[in-house]
Amino acid sequence: MKPPIRPSQIDARLNALYGQQILSYVTHQTRYNNLPKALFAIRKFLPLKRDRPSTMERLVLKKLALARAKIYRYEGNFSQAEEFLRTEALDEDANLDGVTGRYRTSQLAAVLCEQGDPSKAQMLLHDEISTLEKLNLSDTYGGRCLRLSLAEALLEGGSLINAKSTYCGLKELYKDLPNSSGIERLRLSVGLARISHVRFSGNEALTNWQQALMASESCGWKEGFIEMVICYSMSYVQAELGKSEKSHALMKKADELAKREDHQYWLTGLGTYWLDFVRRSIREKK
C-alpha cells in the first residue's frame, strides 16, 4: 500500500479527507508491524490553520493521535502511550466521535494493565460500560471492545472467575455475529486459553490455545510473534498432559519463531507478563 499524496489544491474539507487517507495507510502499516512507516505518515498531516482547525480536521487529528499512542504501545513504550492518550488523544472541548472515545478508553486500559495497574483500568472501564448499558449500546462494536478490555484487566488483576464470566458472555454474543472482527475473536480466545492454562485445565487449555492459533491465522498473522507465544503455551500444556513428543515439537517451532520475530505487545499481557510466565514454567518443568 502506497502512502497518500496531498492534493495541490486544497481546502479544510479536502485536507480532512487527505488525513483520513493517511489514517487508512497508518492502520494498514500498523497491522503488518511497519511501525516506523506508520509514525512517519502520521507526522505528515497538519490542519490548514494550525491555531483553528476545522471540526473534521480536529477529528482526524484525534484519530491520528490515537493511532500514534497505539504504535507507542505496540513498541512497548507504555508510559509514552499513556501520556499521548491523556493529552493529544483527549478532546476536552467536545465528544466529536463516541466510537473514537471508547477506543481511547480501551487503549488507555491496556496501557494501564501493561504498567501494572489493572485495578485502575477496571474502574475506568466499569464507568464507561455502565454508561453504554444504560443506552443499550454495550453489544455494539465499541461496547464489545470495552468488555474485552475489562476481561483482560480482570485477568491481569487475577480475578479469574470474573474474567471468565465476562469472556463467556462475549463468546455467546459472538455466536450471533459471524462477521465480527478477527482481532476481537483472537482476544477472546487468548483470554480464555490463559485462564484455563493457569487453572491447570489441561485439555480445555489445549482446545482454547488451538482456537487462539486459528484466530491468529485468520487475522493474517501466521507464524509470527503471537503464534510463537501460543506454541510455547501449548508446549507446556502438552508436557503437563504427558505428551512429551508433541511438547518438544511445539517447543522447537516456538524457538525457531523466537529467533526471527521481533518482540510485540499487541495483546494485553501477552508480550510482557505471559511470555515470561510461560517460559519460566517450561524451564522449571525441565
Side-chain angles (χ1 to χ4, degrees):
M1 185 178 185
K2 293 182 178 180
I5 299 173
R6 189 175 187 270
S8 55
Q9 301 294 323
I10 198 165
D11 56 19
R13 184 183 65 84
L14 289 175
N15 193 42
L17 291 174
Y18 167 63
Q20 289 285 4
Q21 292 175 340
I22 289 178
L23 184 63
S24 296
Y25 174 79
V26 167
T27 301
H28 177 84
Q29 296 300 332
T30 302
R31 182 180 178 87
Y32 292 99
N33 208 32
N34 297 320
L35 304 185
K37 284 186 178 181
L39 272 176
F40 180 78
I42 288 173
R43 297 188 181 105
K44 292 175 66 177
F45 179 77
L46 291 171
L48 293 183
K49 297 179 180 178
R50 300 190 188 185
D51 59 332
R52 288 188 296 118
S54 69
T55 299
M56 289 179 67
E57 287 174 324
R58 279 178 60 203
L59 181 55
V60 170
L61 285 169
K62 295 305 170 185
K63 288 183 176 181
L64 287 172
L66 272 173
R68 182 180 290 198
K70 183 177 182 179
I71 291 167
Y72 290 148
R73 177 191 153 208
Y74 281 6
E75 290 176 334
N77 296 326
F78 303 124
S79 60
Q80 195 170 8
E82 182 181 0
E83 181 182 352
F84 235 78
L85 287 165
R86 292 192 183 278
T87 55
E88 299 297 323
L90 177 64
D91 195 311
E92 297 178 346
D93 299 325
N95 183 15
L96 295 175
D97 184 343
V99 174
T100 302
R102 290 190 282 275
Y103 183 74
R104 172 188 168 274
T105 301
S106 181
Q107 288 292 319
L108 181 55
V111 169
L112 289 170
C113 286
E114 296 287 21
Q115 295 182 105
D117 202 349
S119 59
K120 190 178 289 186
Q122 291 168 32
M123 288 189 290
L124 180 72
L125 291 160
H126 274 303
D127 290 344
E128 190 84 21
I129 292 169
S130 295
T131 300
L132 291 180
E133 286 175 342
K134 292 174 184 175
L135 298 171
N136 292 320
L137 294 174
S138 62
D139 290 348
T140 62
Y141 173 73
R144 297 194 307 270
C145 286
L146 289 174
R147 289 162 68 185
L148 280 168
S149 294
L150 176 59
E152 289 163 351
L154 290 165
L155 175 55
E156 293 302 317
S159 301
L160 300 186
I161 293 175
N162 290 334
K164 185 171 183 179
S165 175
T166 305
Y167 279 124
C168 287
L170 285 162
K171 188 175 183 179
E172 286 300 310
L173 178 61
Y174 286 128
K175 289 179 180 178
D176 298 323
L177 297 169
N179 296 321
S180 58
S181 81
I183 295 176
E184 287 181 77
R185 293 179 180 275
L186 175 59
R187 292 172 67 186
L188 174 69
S189 300
V190 166
L192 287 171
R194 286 180 58 186
I195 291 170
S196 53
H197 188 116
V198 298
R199 294 176 78 177
F200 306 108
S201 303
N203 288 315
E204 179 184 324
L206 190 60
T207 298
N208 286 333
W209 282 124
Q210 288 168 338
Q211 290 176 348
L213 184 60
M214 288 188 290
S216 177
E217 290 175 355
S218 73
C219 292
W221 296 330
K222 184 175 175 60
E223 298 200 342
F225 178 84
I226 292 173
E227 181 166 342
M228 178 199 77
V229 179
I230 292 173
C231 284
Y232 276 130
S233 303
M234 291 174 66
S235 173
Y236 177 81
V237 174
Q238 292 283 23
E240 284 288 289
L241 293 171
K243 299 177 181 178
S244 59
E245 189 173 331
K246 290 183 178 180
S247 176
H248 288 313
L250 286 162
M251 174 69 74
K252 182 179 179 182
K253 183 171 185 178
D255 286 341
E256 289 172 353
L257 290 171
K259 291 176 183 176
R260 68 170 192 256
E261 291 298 321
D262 293 330
H263 211 104
Q264 293 175 2
Y265 304 91
W266 290 23
L267 302 184
T268 303
L270 200 72
T272 47
Y273 160 76
W274 185 260
L275 180 58
D276 292 340
F277 166 76
V278 76
R279 279 175 163 170
R280 185 172 64 251
S281 299
I282 291 169
R283 286 196 302 270
E284 291 171 355
K285 191 164 183 64
K286 286 183 177 179

Coordinates of all heavy atoms in Angstrom, one line a residue, residues 33-97:
N33 N 2.9 -4.4 11.2 CA 4.1 -4.2 12.1 C 5.1 -3.3 11.4 O 6.3 -3.3 11.8 CB 4.7 -5.5 12.5 CG 5.4 -5.3 13.9 OD1 5.0 -4.6 14.7 ND2 6.5 -6.1 14.0
N34 N 4.7 -2.5 10.4 CA 5.6 -1.5 9.8 C 5.5 -0.2 10.6 O 5.0 0.9 10.1 CB 5.3 -1.3 8.4 CG 5.5 -2.6 7.6 OD1 6.4 -3.3 7.8 ND2 4.5 -2.8 6.6
L35 N 5.9 -0.2 11.9 CA 5.6 0.9 12.8 C 6.4 2.2 12.4 O 5.8 3.3 12.5 CB 5.9 0.5 14.2 CG 5.1 -0.7 14.7 CD1 5.4 -1.0 16.2 CD2 3.6 -0.6 14.4
P36 N 7.6 2.2 12.0 CA 8.3 3.4 11.6 C 7.6 4.1 10.4 O 7.5 5.3 10.4 CB 9.7 2.9 11.2 CG 9.9 1.7 12.0 CD 8.6 1.0 12.0
K37 N 7.2 3.3 9.4 CA 6.5 3.9 8.3 C 5.2 4.6 8.8 O 4.8 5.7 8.3 CB 6.1 2.9 7.2 CG 7.3 2.4 6.4 CD 6.9 1.5 5.3 CE 8.0 1.1 4.4 NZ 7.6 0.1 3.3
A38 N 4.5 3.9 9.7 CA 3.2 4.4 10.2 C 3.4 5.8 10.9 O 2.7 6.7 10.7 CB 2.5 3.4 11.1
L39 N 4.4 5.8 11.8 CA 4.7 7.1 12.5 C 5.1 8.2 11.6 O 4.7 9.4 11.8 CB 5.9 6.8 13.5 CG 5.5 6.3 14.9 CD1 6.7 6.0 15.7 CD2 4.5 7.3 15.6
F40 N 5.9 7.9 10.6 CA 6.3 8.9 9.6 C 5.1 9.5 8.9 O 5.1 10.7 8.7 CB 7.3 8.3 8.6 CG 7.8 9.3 7.6 CD1 8.8 10.2 7.9 CD2 7.3 9.3 6.3 CE1 9.3 11.1 6.9 CE2 7.7 10.2 5.3 CZ 8.7 11.1 5.7
A41 N 4.2 8.6 8.5 CA 3.0 9.1 7.8 C 2.1 10.0 8.7 O 1.6 11.0 8.2 CB 2.2 7.9 7.3
I42 N 2.0 9.7 10.0 CA 1.2 10.5 10.9 C 1.7 11.9 10.9 O 0.9 12.8 11.0 CB 1.2 9.8 12.3 CG1 0.4 8.5 12.3 CG2 0.7 10.8 13.3 CD1 0.5 7.8 13.6
R43 N 3.0 12.1 10.9 CA 3.6 13.4 11.1 C 3.4 14.3 9.8 O 3.6 15.5 9.9 CB 5.1 13.3 11.4 CG 5.4 12.6 12.7 CD 6.9 12.6 13.0 NE 7.1 11.9 14.3 CZ 7.7 10.8 14.4 NH1 8.1 10.1 13.3 NH2 8.0 10.2 15.6
K44 N 2.9 13.7 8.8 CA 2.7 14.5 7.5 C 1.4 15.3 7.5 O 1.2 16.2 6.7 CB 2.7 13.5 6.3 CG 4.1 12.9 6.0 CD 4.0 11.9 4.9 CE 3.7 12.6 3.6 NZ 3.7 11.6 2.5
F45 N 0.5 15.0 8.5 CA -0.8 15.7 8.4 C -0.8 16.8 9.4 O -0.5 16.7 10.6 CB -2.0 14.7 8.8 CG -3.3 15.4 8.8 CD1 -3.9 15.7 7.6 CD2 -3.9 15.8 10.0 CE1 -5.1 16.4 7.6 CE2 -5.1 16.5 10.0 CZ -5.7 16.8 8.8
L46 N -1.2 18.0 8.9 CA -1.4 19.2 9.7 C -2.6 19.9 9.2 O -3.0 19.9 8.0 CB -0.2 20.1 9.5 CG 1.1 19.7 10.1 CD1 2.3 20.6 9.7 CD2 1.1 19.6 11.6
P47 N -3.4 20.5 10.1 CA -4.5 21.4 9.7 C -4.1 22.6 8.9 O -2.9 23.1 9.1 CB -5.2 21.8 11.0 CG -4.1 21.7 12.0 CD -3.2 20.6 11.6
L48 N -4.9 23.1 8.0 CA -4.5 24.2 7.2 C -4.3 25.5 8.1 O -3.3 26.2 7.9 CB -5.6 24.6 6.2 CG -5.8 23.5 5.1 CD1 -6.8 24.0 4.1 CD2 -4.5 23.2 4.4
K49 N -5.1 25.6 9.1 CA -5.0 26.7 10.1 C -4.6 26.0 11.4 O -5.5 25.5 12.1 CB -6.2 27.6 10.2 CG -6.6 28.3 8.9 CD -7.8 29.1 9.0 CE -8.2 29.8 7.8 NZ -9.5 30.6 7.9
R50 N -3.4 26.0 11.8 CA -3.0 25.2 12.9 C -3.6 25.7 14.2 O -3.8 24.9 15.1 CB -1.4 25.3 13.1 CG -0.7 24.7 11.8 CD 0.7 24.5 12.0 NE 1.4 24.1 10.8 CZ 2.7 23.8 10.7 NH1 3.4 23.8 11.8 NH2 3.2 23.5 9.5
D51 N -3.9 27.0 14.3 CA -4.5 27.5 15.6 C -6.0 27.4 15.6 O -6.7 27.5 16.6 CB -4.1 29.0 15.8 CG -4.6 29.9 14.6 OD1 -4.7 29.3 13.5 OD2 -4.8 31.1 14.8
R52 N -6.6 27.1 14.4 CA -8.1 27.0 14.3 C -8.4 25.9 13.3 O -9.0 26.1 12.2 CB -8.7 28.3 13.9 CG -8.7 29.4 15.0 CD -9.5 30.6 14.6 NE -9.0 31.3 13.4 CZ -9.6 31.4 12.3 NH1 -10.8 30.9 12.1 NH2 -9.1 32.1 11.3
P53 N -8.1 24.6 13.7 CA -8.5 23.5 12.7 C -10.0 23.4 12.6 O -10.8 23.7 13.6 CB -7.9 22.3 13.4 CG -7.8 22.6 14.8 CD -7.5 24.1 14.9
S54 N -10.5 22.9 11.5 CA -11.9 22.7 11.3 C -12.4 21.5 12.1 O -11.5 20.7 12.7 CB -12.2 22.4 9.8 OG -11.7 21.2 9.4
T55 N -13.7 21.3 12.3 CA -14.2 20.2 13.1 C -13.7 18.9 12.5 O -13.3 18.0 13.2 CB -15.7 20.2 13.1 OG1 -16.2 21.5 13.7 CG2 -16.3 19.1 13.9
M56 N -13.8 18.7 11.2 CA -13.3 17.5 10.5 C -11.8 17.3 10.7 O -11.4 16.2 11.0 CB -13.6 17.5 9.0 CG -15.1 17.4 8.7 SD -15.5 17.5 6.9 CE -14.7 16.0 6.4
E57 N -11.0 18.4 10.6 CA -9.6 18.2 10.8 C -9.3 17.9 12.3 O -8.4 17.0 12.5 CB -8.9 19.5 10.5 CG -8.8 19.8 9.0 CD -8.3 21.2 8.7 OE1 -8.6 22.2 9.5 OE2 -7.5 21.4 7.7
R58 N -10.1 18.4 13.2 CA -9.9 18.1 14.6 C -10.1 16.6 14.9 O -9.4 15.9 15.6 CB -10.8 18.9 15.5 CG -10.3 20.3 15.8 CD -11.3 21.1 16.6 NE -11.5 20.4 17.9 CZ -12.6 20.6 18.7 NH1 -13.6 21.4 18.2 NH2 -12.7 20.0 19.8
L59 N -11.1 16.1 14.3 CA -11.5 14.7 14.4 C -10.3 13.8 13.9 O -9.9 12.8 14.5 CB -12.8 14.3 13.8 CG -13.3 12.9 13.9 CD1 -13.3 12.4 15.4 CD2 -14.6 12.7 13.2
V60 N -9.8 14.2 12.7 CA -8.7 13.4 12.1 C -7.5 13.5 13.0 O -6.8 12.5 13.2 CB -8.4 14.0 10.7 CG1 -7.1 13.4 10.2 CG2 -9.5 13.7 9.7
L61 N -7.2 14.7 13.6 CA -6.1 14.8 14.5 C -6.2 13.9 15.7 O -5.2 13.3 16.1 CB -5.9 16.3 14.9 CG -5.4 17.3 13.9 CD1 -5.6 18.7 14.4 CD2 -3.9 17.0 13.6
K62 N -7.4 13.8 16.2 CA -7.6 12.9 17.4 C -7.4 11.5 17.0 O -6.8 10.7 17.8 CB -9.0 13.2 18.0 CG -9.2 14.5 18.6 CD -8.1 14.9 19.6 CE -8.1 16.3 20.0 NZ -7.0 16.7 20.9
K63 N -7.9 11.1 15.9 CA -7.8 9.7 15.4 C -6.3 9.4 15.2 O -5.8 8.3 15.5 CB -8.6 9.4 14.2 CG -10.1 9.4 14.5 CD -10.9 9.1 13.3 CE -12.4 8.9 13.6 NZ -13.2 8.6 12.4
L64 N -5.6 10.3 14.6 CA -4.1 10.1 14.3 C -3.3 10.1 15.6 O -2.4 9.3 15.8 CB -3.6 11.2 13.4 CG -4.0 11.1 11.9 CD1 -3.6 12.3 11.2 CD2 -3.5 9.8 11.3
A65 N -3.8 10.9 16.6 CA -3.1 10.8 17.9 C -3.4 9.5 18.6 O -2.4 8.9 19.2 CB -3.7 11.9 18.8
L66 N -4.6 8.9 18.4 CA -4.9 7.6 18.9 C -4.0 6.5 18.2 O -3.5 5.6 18.9 CB -6.3 7.2 18.7 CG -7.3 7.6 19.8 CD1 -8.7 7.4 19.4 CD2 -7.0 6.9 21.1
A67 N -3.8 6.7 16.9 CA -3.0 5.7 16.2 C -1.6 5.8 16.6 O -0.9 4.8 16.8 CB -3.1 6.1 14.7
R68 N -1.1 7.0 16.9 CA 0.3 7.2 17.4 C 0.5 6.5 18.8 O 1.4 5.8 19.1 CB 0.7 8.7 17.5 CG 2.1 8.9 17.9 CD 2.5 10.3 18.0 NE 2.6 10.9 16.7 CZ 3.3 12.1 16.4 NH1 3.9 12.7 17.4 NH2 3.3 12.5 15.2
A69 N -0.5 6.7 19.7 CA -0.5 6.1 21.0 C -0.5 4.6 20.9 O 0.3 3.9 21.6 CB -1.7 6.6 21.8
K70 N -1.2 4.1 20.0 CA -1.3 2.6 19.7 C 0.1 2.1 19.3 O 0.5 1.0 19.7 CB -2.4 2.3 18.7 CG -2.6 0.8 18.4 CD -3.7 0.7 17.4 CE -4.0 -0.8 17.1 NZ -5.1 -1.0 16.2
I71 N 0.7 2.9 18.4 CA 2.1 2.5 17.9 C 3.1 2.4 19.1 O 3.8 1.5 19.3 CB 2.5 3.4 16.8 CG1 1.7 3.2 15.5 CG2 4.0 3.2 16.5 CD1 1.9 4.2 14.5
Y72 N 3.0 3.5 19.9 CA 3.9 3.5 21.1 C 3.6 2.3 22.0 O 4.6 1.7 22.5 CB 3.7 4.8 21.9 CG 4.1 6.0 21.2 CD1 3.5 7.3 21.5 CD2 5.3 6.0 20.4 CE1 3.9 8.4 20.8 CE2 5.7 7.2 19.8 CZ 5.0 8.4 20.0 OH 5.5 9.5 19.4
R73 N 2.4 2.0 22.2 CA 2.0 0.8 23.0 C 2.6 -0.5 22.3 O 3.1 -1.3 23.0 CB 0.5 0.7 23.1 CG 0.0 -0.6 23.9 CD -1.5 -0.7 23.8 NE -1.8 -2.2 23.9 CZ -2.9 -2.7 23.3 NH1 -3.7 -2.0 22.6 NH2 -3.1 -4.0 23.5
Y74 N 2.4 -0.6 21.0 CA 2.9 -1.8 20.3 C 4.4 -1.9 20.4 O 5.0 -3.0 20.3 CB 2.4 -1.8 18.9 CG 1.0 -2.2 18.6 CD1 0.1 -2.5 19.7 CD2 0.5 -2.3 17.4 CE1 -1.2 -2.8 19.5 CE2 -0.8 -2.7 17.1 CZ -1.7 -2.9 18.2 OH -3.0 -3.3 18.0
E75 N 5.1 -0.8 20.5 CA 6.5 -0.8 20.6 C 7.0 -1.1 22.1 O 8.2 -1.3 22.3 CB 7.1 0.6 20.3 CG 7.0 0.9 18.8 CD 7.5 2.3 18.5 OE1 7.5 3.2 19.4 OE2 7.9 2.6 17.3
G76 N 6.0 -1.1 23.0 CA 6.4 -1.3 24.4 C 6.7 0.0 25.1 O 7.1 -0.1 26.3
N77 N 6.5 1.1 24.5 CA 6.7 2.4 25.2 C 5.4 2.8 25.9 O 4.7 3.8 25.5 CB 7.1 3.5 24.1 CG 8.4 3.2 23.5 OD1 9.3 2.6 24.1 ND2 8.5 3.5 22.2
F78 N 5.1 2.1 27.0 CA 3.8 2.3 27.6 C 3.6 3.7 28.2 O 2.5 4.2 28.2 CB 3.6 1.2 28.6 CG 3.7 -0.2 28.0 CD1 4.6 -1.1 28.6 CD2 2.9 -0.6 27.0 CE1 4.7 -2.4 28.0 CE2 3.0 -1.9 26.4 CZ 3.9 -2.8 26.9
S79 N 4.6 4.2 28.9 CA 4.5 5.5 29.5 C 4.2 6.6 28.5 O 3.4 7.5 28.7 CB 5.7 5.8 30.4 OG 6.9 5.9 29.6
Q80 N 4.9 6.5 27.3 CA 4.7 7.5 26.3 C 3.3 7.3 25.7 O 2.6 8.3 25.3 CB 5.7 7.3 25.2 CG 5.8 8.4 24.2 CD 7.1 8.3 23.3 OE1 7.8 7.4 23.3 NE2 7.3 9.4 22.5
A81 N 2.8 6.1 25.5 CA 1.5 5.8 25.0 C 0.4 6.4 26.0 O -0.5 7.1 25.5 CB 1.2 4.3 24.9
E82 N 0.6 6.2 27.3 CA -0.3 6.8 28.3 C -0.3 8.3 28.2 O -1.4 9.0 28.2 CB 0.1 6.4 29.7 CG -0.9 6.9 30.7 CD -0.6 6.5 32.1 OE1 0.4 5.8 32.3 OE2 -1.4 6.9 33.0
E83 N 0.8 8.9 28.1 CA 0.9 10.4 28.0 C 0.1 10.9 26.8 O -0.6 11.9 26.9 CB 2.4 10.8 27.9 CG 2.5 12.4 27.9 CD 4.0 12.8 27.8 OE1 4.9 11.9 27.9 OE2 4.2 14.0 27.5
F84 N 0.3 10.3 25.7 CA -0.4 10.7 24.5 C -1.9 10.5 24.6 O -2.7 11.3 24.2 CB 0.1 9.9 23.3 CG 0.6 10.8 22.2 CD1 1.9 11.4 22.3 CD2 -0.1 11.0 21.1 CE1 2.3 12.2 21.3 CE2 0.3 11.8 20.0 CZ 1.6 12.4 20.1
L85 N -2.3 9.4 25.2 CA -3.7 9.1 25.4 C -4.4 10.1 26.3 O -5.6 10.4 26.2 CB -3.9 7.7 25.9 CG -3.7 6.6 24.9 CD1 -3.5 5.2 25.6 CD2 -4.8 6.5 23.9
R86 N -3.6 10.6 27.3 CA -4.2 11.6 28.3 C -4.1 13.0 27.8 O -4.7 13.9 28.5 CB -3.5 11.4 29.6 CG -3.8 10.1 30.3 CD -3.3 10.1 31.7 NE -3.4 8.8 32.4 CZ -4.6 8.4 33.0 NH1 -5.7 9.2 32.9 NH2 -4.6 7.2 33.6
T87 N -3.4 13.3 26.7 CA -3.2 14.6 26.3 C -3.7 14.8 24.8 O -4.8 15.3 24.6 CB -1.7 15.1 26.4 OG1 -0.9 14.1 25.7 CG2 -1.3 15.1 27.9
E88 N -2.8 14.4 23.9 CA -3.1 14.6 22.5 C -4.4 13.9 22.0 O -5.1 14.5 21.1 CB -1.9 14.1 21.6 CG -0.6 14.8 21.9 CD -0.7 16.3 21.6 OE1 -1.3 16.7 20.6 OE2 -0.1 17.1 22.3
A89 N -4.7 12.7 22.5 CA -5.8 12.0 22.0 C -7.1 12.3 22.8 O -8.2 11.8 22.5 CB -5.6 10.5 22.1
L90 N -7.0 13.2 23.8 CA -8.2 13.6 24.6 C -8.7 14.9 24.1 O -8.0 15.9 23.9 CB -7.8 13.8 26.0 CG -8.9 14.2 27.0 CD1 -10.0 13.2 27.1 CD2 -8.3 14.5 28.4
D91 N -10.0 15.0 23.8 CA -10.7 16.2 23.3 C -11.6 16.7 24.5 O -12.6 16.1 24.8 CB -11.5 16.0 22.1 CG -11.9 17.3 21.4 OD1 -12.4 18.2 22.1 OD2 -11.7 17.4 20.2
E92 N -11.1 17.8 25.1 CA -11.8 18.3 26.3 C -13.0 19.2 25.9 O -13.8 19.5 26.7 CB -10.8 19.0 27.2 CG -9.8 18.1 27.8 CD -8.8 18.9 28.7 OE1 -8.8 20.1 28.6 OE2 -8.0 18.2 29.4
D93 N -13.0 19.7 24.7 CA -14.0 20.6 24.3 C -15.3 20.0 23.9 O -16.4 20.5 24.1 CB -13.5 21.5 23.1 CG -12.2 22.3 23.4 OD1 -12.2 22.7 24.6 OD2 -11.4 22.4 22.6
A94 N -15.2 18.8 23.2 CA -16.4 18.2 22.7 C -16.1 16.7 22.4 O -15.0 16.3 22.1 CB -16.9 18.8 21.4
N95 N -17.2 15.9 22.6 CA -17.0 14.5 22.2 C -17.4 14.3 20.7 O -18.5 14.2 20.3 CB -18.0 13.6 23.1 CG -17.9 12.2 22.8 OD1 -16.9 11.7 22.2 ND2 -18.8 11.4 23.2
L96 N -16.3 14.5 19.9 CA -16.5 14.5 18.5 C -17.0 13.2 17.9 O -17.7 13.1 16.9 CB -15.2 14.9 17.8 CG -14.7 16.3 18.1 CD1 -13.4 16.5 17.5 CD2 -15.7 17.4 17.6
D97 N -16.6 12.1 18.5 CA -16.9 10.8 18.0 C -17.0 9.8 19.1 O -15.9 9.5 19.7 CB -15.8 10.4 17.0 CG -16.1 9.1 16.3 OD1 -17.0 8.3 16.8 OD2 -15.5 8.8 15.2

